[in-house]
Amino acid sequence: MVREQYVTTTQDSSVPAPVPDSVYKIGIYGWRKRCLYLFVLLLIIILTVNFALTIWILQVMWFNTEGMGHLKVTAEGLRLEDGKSEFLFPLYAQEIHSREDSSLLVHSSENVTLNARNENNDVTGSLSIGPEVVQGNAPNFVISSNTKTLFSADDKEVVVGTDKLRVTGPEGALFEHSVETPLLKAEPFNDLRLESPTRSLSMDAPKGVFVKALAGNIEAASNMDVLLHSSEGLVILDAETVRLPSLPLGHGGVSGNAQGLYEVCVCPSGKLFLSKAGVTSMCSESQEC
C-alpha cells in the first residue's frame, strides 16, 4: 500500500494547506496470487523434468561431440565404428562402404531393393534381391573387373568379355537364336555335341570352319541331308582312309566279277554310287544317274 500526499499553497499565505490522503493498492492479491505461484511452480517442475529427460536421452544414446555412440559424424559423412545399423524406412545415400577390415552385409527379412534416381526423382535403375528371385531393371547391365568388361547386356545383345565361358550343366546350353564365337570346345575327356532337335544346324564363318578332334571321332548325323558347301574354295577330305560304306550299287557293269572290285562313279548332279570294276570304266554303262 502506497500513501501519497498532495500539498497546495496560496498566494496570500505560505502555510501549506492540508489535502486529503489518497490510498492506491498496487499488485496481485488473493486467489490470483496463489494461481500465479502455482503456475510458476508447475513450469519449474516441467522444465526440470524436460531437462532430466534430455540428460537421460543423451546418456542412453551416447551423444558426444563427435556423433552418437559408435556413429561418428565426419566431413565425409557418417561412420559406424562397430555394431549393426537397422533402418525402418528407406535410406538415401550417395555411397555406402564397409570398413577396410570387414565385409559389407545387407540383410532384410523380406527383400533388399536398390534404386537409382535421376534429377526428377524417377527410377532409372533398380536391383531387387528377394527370397526366390533376383531381379534387375536398367537400360544396360555391365559387370567389369578393373578396366575389362566381363559381361554386358542390353535390349540388343549380350556380350561375354571373359577369355573362356564354361557351361557345366548336364544338359549343356540352349540357344534359341544364333551364337557368335571364335572357338567352341569341350572339356578334356568329354565329347562336344552340337544338336538341333527340330530344325537345321548351320555353321558359318567368313574365313572357314575348322573342326578337329584330337583323341576321338567326328560324327555328323542328320535325318535328311548333310551339306558341305564352299562358295569359292574346295571341300577337302584329307585322311589316311576315307570310307563311304553305304553307297548304292549301280546296275550293269561286268558280270561275274570274281575279284570283288568296284569303282566309285560320280553323276553330273554329284551323286556317288558303286559300279563293278572292269578293264575299263563301267560308270557310263550304269543307269543310276
Side-chain angles (χ1 to χ4, degrees), residues 38-282:
L38 180 62
F39 177 75
V40 173
L41 179 61
L42 182 61
L43 183 60
I44 294 175
I45 294 174
I46 293 176
L47 291 177
T48 305
V49 173
N50 287 339
F51 182 75
L53 289 177
T54 303
I55 297 300
W56 179 76
I57 292 174
L58 293 176
Q59 184 67 24
V60 171
M61 301 301 293
W62 296 355
F63 279 102
N64 50 52
T65 57
E66 297 181 353
M68 183 178 64
H70 297 295
L71 187 63
K72 306 297 182 181
V73 180
T74 62
E76 298 178 354
L78 298 179
R79 178 182 178 86
L80 183 62
E81 296 292 343
D82 191 10
K84 299 179 180 179
S85 299
E86 182 177 355
F87 301 95
L88 302 180
F89 297 98
L91 173 64
Y92 297 90
Q94 182 178 1
E95 181 180 356
I96 301 176
H97 60 86
S98 64
R99 295 189 300 271
E100 296 181 356
D101 56 345
S102 62
S103 59
L104 178 62
L105 175 62
V106 180
H107 174 74
S108 174
S109 58
E110 294 295 333
N111 57 10
V112 177
T113 302
L114 303 178
N115 293 330
R117 300 177 181 270
N118 56 12
E119 298 177 353
N120 298 326
N121 204 26
D122 298 330
V123 177
T124 57
S126 65
L127 177 63
S128 178
I129 304 176
E132 297 181 356
V133 63
V134 177
Q135 183 177 2
N137 296 320
N140 299 297
F141 181 74
V142 179
I143 300 177
S144 60
S145 175
N146 296 329
T147 59
K148 183 178 181 181
T149 301
L150 302 180
F151 179 87
S152 65
D154 54 21
D155 56 349
K156 296 182 179 179
E157 64 178 1
V158 176
V159 179
V160 179
T162 57
D163 296 336
K164 180 185 296 185
L165 175 62
R166 178 178 298 176
V167 180
T168 59
E171 299 296 331
L174 176 63
F175 301 96
E176 296 183 357
H177 300 284
S178 62
V179 179
E180 182 178 351
T181 177
L183 177 63
L184 185 63
K185 67 177 182 178
E187 290 291 331
F189 308 104
N190 292 325
D191 296 334
L192 175 62
R193 184 174 181 179
L194 303 179
E195 180 180 0
S196 179
T198 58
R199 295 187 179 183
S200 61
L201 177 63
S202 175
M203 292 187 294
D204 301 325
K207 293 185 177 180
V209 178
F210 181 71
V211 182
K212 183 178 182 180
L214 297 177
N217 300 326
I218 297 177
E219 180 180 352
S222 175
N223 187 36
M224 296 181 65
D225 299 331
V226 177
L227 303 178
L228 300 177
H229 175 70
S230 178
S231 58
E232 296 181 0
L234 302 176
V235 177
I236 301 176
L237 301 179
D238 186 6
E240 181 179 355
T241 302
V242 177
R243 295 182 180 181
L244 302 175
S246 300
L247 289 180
L249 179 62
H251 300 285
V254 180
S255 60
N257 186 3
Q259 296 181 356
L261 300 178
Y262 298 89
E263 59 180 344
V264 179
C265 302
V266 182
C267 296
S269 62
K271 179 181 178 181
L272 301 180
F273 64 93
L274 295 179
S275 177
K276 295 181 180 179
V279 179
T280 60
S281 177
M282 298 290 104

Side-chain angles (χ1 to χ4, degrees), residues 8-25:
T8 60
T9 60
T10 61
Q11 295 180 357
D12 298 336
S13 176
S14 62
V15 179
V19 179
D21 297 339
S22 298
V23 179
Y24 299 93
K25 294 181 179 180

